Amino acid sequence: MMRLADRPHGASCPRKGVGGIVWPLLGIALAVRLAAAGGADAALGRAGREFLFPDEARYACAGRVLAAEGRLVGPGGARAALAPGYPALVAACARIFGEDPLPLRIVQAFLGTAGVACGIALAGAIAGPRAASPRAVFLAGIFLAFWPMGVGHDALVLSDGPGVFLWML
């Protein structure tokens, strides 16, 4: 293993500059996700709908019942129809912000951005400390910031967006 003292004269630190691109990439990822969340909410509102998919309505209903009554129930009152993690997030947002889905979409935008940060960290770990440039980190960050499935799921009331962040941990 090469120590800092063993570097040839004039050699630069191998990871220099990575921190300078991570924060702008995360800012871009957050901006894209917030725009998608606002756009989805506005488009659904214009269409007179609260949700796009039936799964969204099921999660929202389970979370709202959990917030109001403290019990987890799925469709038709089934107790084992849903895993408790995502309805608990929906319930927490409903208690704090009310039943409007926009604040939940915004929370998911932040969680999705945290997932992007985890992906960038993973790319940096795979590239290794001797990477000559932050290219792998930059490419991973750009890909994850604009990944359509990630952006789309973060804008909808679905467990996929927060799930990606939790899987990355």
Side-chain angles (χ1 to χ4, degrees):
M1 174 180 254
M2 181 193 235
R3 296 177 311 181
L4 190 58
D6 296 335
R7 285 187 307 159
H9 180 68
S12 63
C13 289
R15 304 300 288 166
K16 185 177 181 183
V18 171
I21 59 172
V22 170
W23 291 111
L25 286 172
L26 293 177
I28 291 167
L30 180 60
V32 167
R33 281 160 174 74
L34 289 173
D41 198 69
L44 289 168
R46 281 193 303 274
R49 298 174 64 184
E50 194 173 20
F51 305 109
L52 184 61
F53 297 111
D55 285 358
E56 290 182 275
R58 282 192 285 272
Y59 281 127
C61 179
R64 290 170 180 170
V65 169
L66 184 59
E69 301 174 17
R71 61 188 182 97
L72 180 64
V73 293
R79 301 189 99 200
L82 297 170
Y86 189 68
L89 175 66
V90 174
C93 287
R95 282 194 170 191
I96 295 168
F97 305 113
E99 292 190 358
D100 181 14
L102 180 60
L104 175 61
R105 296 178 203 278
I106 291 170
V107 167
Q108 289 191 179
F110 279 93
L111 289 174
T113 303
V116 171
C118 290
I120 289 171
L122 180 61
I126 291 171
R130 295 185 184 168
S133 74
R135 190 175 10 210
V137 173
F138 177 75
L139 291 175
I142 288 294
F143 173 78
L144 293 171
F146 292 102
W147 181 39
M149 292 298 289
V151 173
H153 280 111
D154 289 341
L156 300 173
V157 180
L158 294 170
S159 62
D160 302 60
V164 167
F165 165 64
L166 292 174
W167 293 325
M168 293 294 289
L169 289 179

